[in-house]
């Protein structure tokens, strides 16, 4: 009895001490987290209304937010969630959607724009907070988490990109939220199927859908989570304490949380997008005629016309490529030296009387009484331009711009021409005798004399062609959207009309069509003449930024450029991390006794650091394979992972001071290193903060400039 009492009195102080230590750590964590929250929000929301004019891509995404408020349909190469949220933020804060967002520099005047900027800034403010929590989970080190947070809080690039009406802060919010949820879920591995386990699993799925719903580069974080999930399931498969039924439960839970739930949310985003944007707008022409029939105000909405194409009909023919245009002609001839000097045939992006064509049999014997014959797959027809009475014609002269194609012209008089006016109708995927359905059928026109196919090249003709789109006859017969057309308007008084509402596509059709058009639009974003095209190797070295506002000394200038001290520190840390991992791996392989502290550091480096390095690679390397135009801001998601890796690496490097010195000198060295790091970050922010918060007066290379002496690279433009 006495021994038991002594034991109890011995253990009680230890348990109390542990509780006190745990409470002290929790209080310290809360204080540090609140400090990070305060600094992050204050640096992002400071001067949020400056400058009071449109900056850089606000002209696009602010305008798209206005479209949602006005319910006007538009086209963009990115999924809709980011623009929907911008529009919602503007609507809630009193913006009425009337500002035109025509060009950068336009004054906002009385329009309420701060709500949309503020929304983006609030989401951008969460990035250092999420990074702090992610690194804290991976390293269990408040120092590493604080290093990471301070790098992001005082980075001028992260501040600038968060303060304007852009998709980037929204995208990065969902990316970081998904990674934080994944890391938290991994920490619940020993408590499967509990409420916290399910919560973090569901949050991963929600944030993955959010990231992909803003931009397609959200696929990169989906791949990261997917690889982590595969590794997790492989670990579970090796746990012999689990039955196959248990493993099946784990697998199904992840299928529901990480595949079905994100897919449902993603599809729901598009469903809301299509319901809200129900009015005709600038995006109509990018989509098929059947799609346009859904939109209030479009000439196809609630219209009626004959269902199947017939001889004697008056029609318009629309190309299926993005901005392919309507088949068009006018009285003007091709100029001397551009093929045959015959009437121009082009593709025109707008609805116009000169888009109308008459459908005739090849022998010009079209009955004018009774029910007309229907056009079928394999029929040979002539298309006569209604206004000029010339036939659609091709021959072996080269096209104006696409030199390997043949020229297409208008030829003949009052429908009388020659055999070069004959075209064979081909319904894509059809068989001989199939009818041509208005709006729905994809049709190709094969030239009988030369064997080429009618084609919209997408190239803009010079001023002699009124800057309309070139139409050619392509000898390459592969089916592409450029060689596919559909019948849009169809007039034939001798045929019964049907309501186009019966031809409206269902939801899955318009969902698929919108994705095809977005993917084509993305791949079609090529650098324009004299346009600065950023290279992926430029980004980690901070080679060149982006002008957000202003050019000369009389204007309010904002320049998107990462804090060079922080970005170059991140770059150096990538190499340092690889060296430290290599040293630790060799030491472990050779069987050196590292001790529990060193083993813990090695595990953090390899597991936590390895996850972050993989995240950086997934968000950076794919850009080397992309043919589209690239910009500096594309690197920012990768930069977040690089910064988190820097936090872990520098923390372990400083904690390794005892390899050089004994305590307490090693502790002093560690503290000096931390203070030097903090001073460097704060002083560099003091030097470069005008990049984010605005510059006026002389430029950097001129005397008296606030940025004098800070243009360390000739490629910087401030």
């Amino acid at each position: 009895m006495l021994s038991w009492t002594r034991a109890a009195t011995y253990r009680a102080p230890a348990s109390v001490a542990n509780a006190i230590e745990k409470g002290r750590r929790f209080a310290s964590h809360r204080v540090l987290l609140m400090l990070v929250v305060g600094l992050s929000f204050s640096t992002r929301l400071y001067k949020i209304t400056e400058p009071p004019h449109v900056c850089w891509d606000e002209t696009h995404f602010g305008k798209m937010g206005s479209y949602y408020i006005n319910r006007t349909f538009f086209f963009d190469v990115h999924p809709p969630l980011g623009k929907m949220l911008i529009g919602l933020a503007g609507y809630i804060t009193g913006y009425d959607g009337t500002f035109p967002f025509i060009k950068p520099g336009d004054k906002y005047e009385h329009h309420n724009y701060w709500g949309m900027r503020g929304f983006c800034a609030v989401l951008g403010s969460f990035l250092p907070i999420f990074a702090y929590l992610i690194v804290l989970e991976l390293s269990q080190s408040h120092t590493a988490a604080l290093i990471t947070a301070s790098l992001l809080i005082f980075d001028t690039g992260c501040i600038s990109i968060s303060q304007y009406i852009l998709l980037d802060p929204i995208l990065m919010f969902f990316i970081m939220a998904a990674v934080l949820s994944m890391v938290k879920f991994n920490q619940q591995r020993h408590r499967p199927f509990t409420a916290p386990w399910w919560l973090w699993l569901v949050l991963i799925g929600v944030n993955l859908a959010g990231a992909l719903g803003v931009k397609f580069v959200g696929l990169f974080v989906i791949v990261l989570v997917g690889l982590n999930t595969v590794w997790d399931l492989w670990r579970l498969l090796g746990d012999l304490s689990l039955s196959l039924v248990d493993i099946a439960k784990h697998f199904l839970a992840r299928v529901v949380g990480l595949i079905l739930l994100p897919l449902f949310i993603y599809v729901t985003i598009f469903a809301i997008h299509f319901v809200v944007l129900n009015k005709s707008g600038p995006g109509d022409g990018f989509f098929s005629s059947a799609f346009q029939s859904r939109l209030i105000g479009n000439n196809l909405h609630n219209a009626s016309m004959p269902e199947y194409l017939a001889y004697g009909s008056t029609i318009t023919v629309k190309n299926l490529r993005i901005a392919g245009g309507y088949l068009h002609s006018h009285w003007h001839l091709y100029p001397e030296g551009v093929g045959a000097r015959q009437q121009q045939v082009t593709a025109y992006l707008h609805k116009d009387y000169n888009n109308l064509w008459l459908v005739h049999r090849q022998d010009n014997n079209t009955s004018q009484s009774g029910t007309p014959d229907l056009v079928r797959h394999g029929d040979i027809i002539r298309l006569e331009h209604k206004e000029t009475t010339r036939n659609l014609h091709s021959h072996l002269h080269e096209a104006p711009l696409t030199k390997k194609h043949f020229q297409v012209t208008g030829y003949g008089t009052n429908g009388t021409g020659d055999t070069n006016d004959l075209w064979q109708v081909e319904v894509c995927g059809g068989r001989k005798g199939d009818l041509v359905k208005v709006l729905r059928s994809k049709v190709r026109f094969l030239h009988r004399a030369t064997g080429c196919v009618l084609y919209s090249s997408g190239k803009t003709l010079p001023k002699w062609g009124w800057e309309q789109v070139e139409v050619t006859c392509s000898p390459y017969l592969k089916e592409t959207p450029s060689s596919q057309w559909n019948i849009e308007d169809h007039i034939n008084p001798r045929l019964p009309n049907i309501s186009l509402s019966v031809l409206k596509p269902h939801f899955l059709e318009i969902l698929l069509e919108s994705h095809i058009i977005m993917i084509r639009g993305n791949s079609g974003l090529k650098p324009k003449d004299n346009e600065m095209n950023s290279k992926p190797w430029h980004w980690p070295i901070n080679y060149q930024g982006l002008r957000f506002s202003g050019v000369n000394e009389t204007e309010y200038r904002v320049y998107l450029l990462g804090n060079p001290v922080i970005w170059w520190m991140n770059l150096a840390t990538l190499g340092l991390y690889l060296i430290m991992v290599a040293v630790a791996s060799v030491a472990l392989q050779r069987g050196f006794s590292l001790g529990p502290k060193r083993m813990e550091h090695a595990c953090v480096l390899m597991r936590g650091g390895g996850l972050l390095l993989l995240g950086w690679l997934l968000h950076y390397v794919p850009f080397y394979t992309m043919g589209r135009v690239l910009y500096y801001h594309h690197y920012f998601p990768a930069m977040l992972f690089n910064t988190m890796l820097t936090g872990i690496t520098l923390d372990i490097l400083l904690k390794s001071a005892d390899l050089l010195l004994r305590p307490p000198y090693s502790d002093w060295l560690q503290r000096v290193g931390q203070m030097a790091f903090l001073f460097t970050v704060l002083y560099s922010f003091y030097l470069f903060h005008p990049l984010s918060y605005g510059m006026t007066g002389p430029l950097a290379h001129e005397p008296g400039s606030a940025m004098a002496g800070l243009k360390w690279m000739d490629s910087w433009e401030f």
Side-chain angles (χ1 to χ4, degrees):
M1 182 67 178
L2 182 60
S3 62
W4 178 88
T5 305
R6 286 176 178 172
T9 57
Y10 175 77
R11 283 196 298 270
S15 62
V16 170
N18 288 338
I20 293 173
E21 177 64 19
K22 187 174 181 181
R24 187 184 66 80
R25 288 182 179 178
F26 179 71
S28 175
H29 167 64
R30 289 187 62 181
V31 170
L32 292 176
L33 182 59
M34 293 307 296
L35 177 64
V36 170
V37 170
L39 287 172
S40 186
F41 274 85
S42 61
T43 52
R44 270 69 183 164
L45 293 174
Y46 177 62
K47 297 181 74 172
I48 192 66
T49 58
E50 296 293 329
H53 60 245
V54 177
C55 294
W56 194 50
D57 270 357
E58 285 188 330
T59 187
H60 299 302
F61 303 119
K63 183 185 297 182
M64 292 170 187
S66 298
Y67 285 146
Y68 278 105
I69 293 173
N70 296 313
R71 306 193 68 177
T72 303
F73 187 76
F74 67 95
F75 166 71
D76 185 42
V77 296
H78 305 300
L81 179 60
K83 285 93 66 179
M84 288 170 60
L85 293 175
I86 288 171
L88 179 61
Y91 179 76
I92 290 174
T93 55
Y95 171 59
D96 59 6
T98 58
F99 186 74
F101 287 97
I102 295 174
K103 64 183 186 301
D106 288 350
K107 299 288 186 183
Y108 283 116
E109 297 177 342
H110 64 278
H111 293 277
N112 191 345
Y113 63 96
W114 64 266
M116 293 182 284
R117 277 193 185 173
F119 169 73
C120 293
V122 166
L123 294 192
S125 300
F126 277 100
L127 301 181
I129 301 167
F130 287 162
Y132 174 90
L133 295 173
I134 291 168
V135 171
L136 185 62
E137 287 291 339
L138 292 176
S139 66
Q140 297 300 306
S141 167
H142 286 95
T143 304
L146 272 177
I147 290 173
T148 300
S150 61
L151 289 172
L152 291 178
I153 287 171
F154 298 112
D155 177 57
T156 51
C158 284
I159 292 172
S160 297
I161 208 165
S162 299
Q163 287 193 309
Y164 298 93
I165 306 171
L166 303 172
L167 297 185
D168 302 87
I170 307 173
L171 170 69
M172 292 189 287
F173 172 87
F174 284 115
I175 289 175
M176 293 294 281
V179 175
L180 176 61
S181 301
M182 178 184 72
V183 170
K184 289 282 190 180
F185 177 75
N186 289 343
Q187 296 297 327
Q188 300 292 326
R189 65 168 60 96
H190 302 301
R191 303 171 59 202
F193 305 109
T194 60
W197 187 91
W198 278 110
L199 172 66
W200 292 115
L201 179 64
V202 168
L203 285 177
I204 296 173
V206 170
N207 288 303
L208 290 181
L212 187 60
V214 176
K215 282 189 176 184
F216 284 129
V217 292
L219 282 169
F220 301 154
V221 75
I222 291 176
V223 173
L224 178 65
V225 171
L227 292 173
N228 178 80
T229 303
V230 169
W231 176 86
D232 193 28
L233 289 173
W234 183 253
R235 178 188 60 81
L236 291 171
L237 191 62
D239 187 349
L240 299 182
S241 66
L242 296 176
S243 67
L244 291 179
V245 173
D246 292 331
I247 294 173
K249 289 179 180 177
H250 276 278
F251 177 77
L252 289 175
R254 286 159 174 80
V255 168
V256 171
L258 303 180
I259 298 177
L260 297 182
L261 176 63
L263 185 61
F264 172 77
I265 295 173
Y266 183 75
V267 171
T268 302
I269 291 168
F270 275 88
I272 297 171
H273 169 72
F274 294 134
V275 168
V276 172
L277 301 185
N278 64 350
K279 297 179 182 178
S280 178
D284 294 17
F286 291 94
F287 288 78
S288 68
S289 306
F291 185 100
Q292 293 180 44
S293 67
R294 305 170 48 257
L295 301 172
I296 299 170
N298 189 284
N299 69 309
L300 297 176
H301 182 70
N302 287 339
S304 60
M305 61 181 64
E307 183 176 7
Y308 296 104
L309 180 63
Y311 291 103
S313 295
T314 301
I315 63 172
T316 59
V317 186
K318 186 176 186 295
N319 188 257
L320 297 189
R321 68 169 286 143
I322 294 178
Y326 295 91
L327 188 64
H328 177 95
S329 189
H330 40 237
W331 288 105
H332 302 278
L333 306 181
Y334 286 101
E336 197 71 44
V338 181
R341 190 165 167 77
Q342 297 176 6
Q343 185 169 294
Q344 296 176 18
V345 171
T346 65
Y348 189 47
L349 300 181
H350 306 283
K351 299 178 187 294
D352 185 82
Y353 184 77
N354 279 328
N355 299 341
L356 296 176
W357 299 80
L358 300 173
V359 182
H360 297 300
R361 293 183 180 277
Q362 61 174 322
D363 56 8
N364 209 22
N365 184 21
T366 302
S367 173
Q368 300 300 318
S369 62
T371 302
D373 293 333
L374 301 179
V375 177
R376 299 176 182 272
H377 177 98
D379 283 5
I380 299 172
I381 67 170
R382 284 188 308 103
L383 289 176
E384 177 190 333
H385 189 241
K386 185 172 183 180
E387 170 67 12
T388 62
T389 72
R390 301 194 190 278
N391 295 329
L392 186 69
H393 177 97
S394 187
H395 42 225
L396 296 178
H397 293 271
E398 66 180 19
L401 303 179
T402 310
K403 300 301 183 182
K404 293 184 178 180
H405 291 194
F406 301 134
Q407 183 187 34
V408 175
T409 68
Y411 180 77
T413 305
N414 294 324
T416 301
D418 61 21
T419 56
N420 281 337
D421 303 340
L422 301 181
W423 302 82
Q424 184 171 0
V425 176
E426 178 186 278
V427 179
C428 298
R431 295 176 295 180
K432 187 171 179 61
D434 284 355
L435 298 173
V436 179
K437 182 176 286 191
V438 173
L439 299 186
R440 304 304 295 272
S441 292
K442 296 179 181 178
V443 179
R444 301 206 308 164
F445 298 97
L446 278 69
H447 191 240
R448 291 289 292 171
T450 62
C452 57
V453 62
L454 191 66
Y455 190 93
S456 173
S457 71
K459 298 176 181 178
T460 302
L461 293 168
K463 290 190 176 181
W464 57 254
W466 304 93
E467 297 182 341
Q468 296 175 9
V469 178
E470 179 193 40
V471 169
T472 69
C473 199
S474 171
Y476 308 105
L477 301 184
K478 181 181 178 181
E479 285 191 8
T480 67
S482 295
S483 65
Q484 294 174 328
W485 308 76
N486 72 269
I487 310 304
E488 183 168 293
D489 295 290
H490 183 211
I491 303 168
N492 196 318
R494 293 186 292 136
L495 285 175
N497 290 337
I498 65 163
S499 171
L500 293 187
S501 60
V502 303
L503 300 179
K504 285 182 182 177
H506 54 71
F507 172 71
L508 291 180
E509 285 181 301
I510 61 177
L511 180 67
L512 178 61
E513 179 179 347
S514 63
H515 278 77
I516 292 172
I517 292 174
M518 283 190 294
I519 292 169
R520 289 179 189 162
N522 258 305
S523 62
L525 291 174
K526 306 297 183 184
K528 299 175 183 177
D529 293 339
N530 302 319
E531 182 181 19
M532 183 61 67
N533 184 25
S534 183
K535 306 291 185 184
W537 67 266
H538 292 171
W539 305 338
I541 64 174
N542 221 21
Y543 179 77
Q544 189 174 40
L546 276 170
R547 282 199 187 102
F548 269 23
S549 172
V551 176
N552 57 53
E553 62 183 34
T554 63
E555 296 176 322
Y556 189 98
R557 303 187 302 279
V558 176
Y559 190 69
L560 177 67
L561 185 75
N563 183 328
V565 173
I566 292 174
W567 282 54
W568 293 340
M569 189 186 303
N570 281 344
L571 184 61
T573 305
L574 284 172
L576 179 63
Y577 169 79
L578 295 176
I579 293 172
M580 291 172 66
V581 167
V583 170
S585 300
V586 170
L588 290 172
Q589 190 69 15
R590 294 298 298 169
F592 290 122
S593 178
L594 300 180
K597 183 179 177 182
R598 299 275 178 264
M599 282 297 297
E600 181 183 344
H601 291 171
C603 287
V604 169
L605 270 178
M606 294 179 183
R607 292 179 183 172
L611 179 68
L612 297 175
L613 180 65
L614 178 61
W616 177 76
L617 290 171
L618 287 173
H619 286 80
Y620 176 52
V621 173
F623 287 102
Y624 282 94
T625 66
M626 295 184 185
R628 58 154 289 172
V629 62
L630 299 174
Y631 298 103
Y632 171 66
H633 69 99
H634 289 146
Y635 183 67
F636 276 82
M639 180 265 183
L640 297 176
F641 287 93
N642 192 354
T643 304
M644 290 188 286
L645 182 61
T646 297
I648 286 178
T649 304
L650 290 183
D651 178 51
I652 292 177
L653 179 69
L654 292 172
K655 286 178 177 176
S656 301
D658 56 358
L659 292 173
L660 300 175
L661 300 172
R662 294 180 179 179
Y665 304 108
S666 60
D667 297 332
W668 295 351
L669 180 60
Q670 182 177 340
R671 296 288 180 268
V672 169
Q674 292 170 353
M675 294 302 295
F677 163 81
L678 184 60
F679 174 79
T680 301
V681 169
L682 289 175
Y683 186 65
S684 64
F685 175 68
Y686 166 75
L687 292 177
F688 288 97
H689 77 274
L691 296 176
S692 297
Y693 296 130
M695 302 167 282
T696 55
L699 303 178
H701 62 277
E702 298 171 348
S705 171
M707 303 301 293
L710 295 177
K711 192 179 178 184
W712 297 344
M713 298 183 72
D714 292 337
S715 52
W716 295 349
E717 300 171 311
F718 56 80

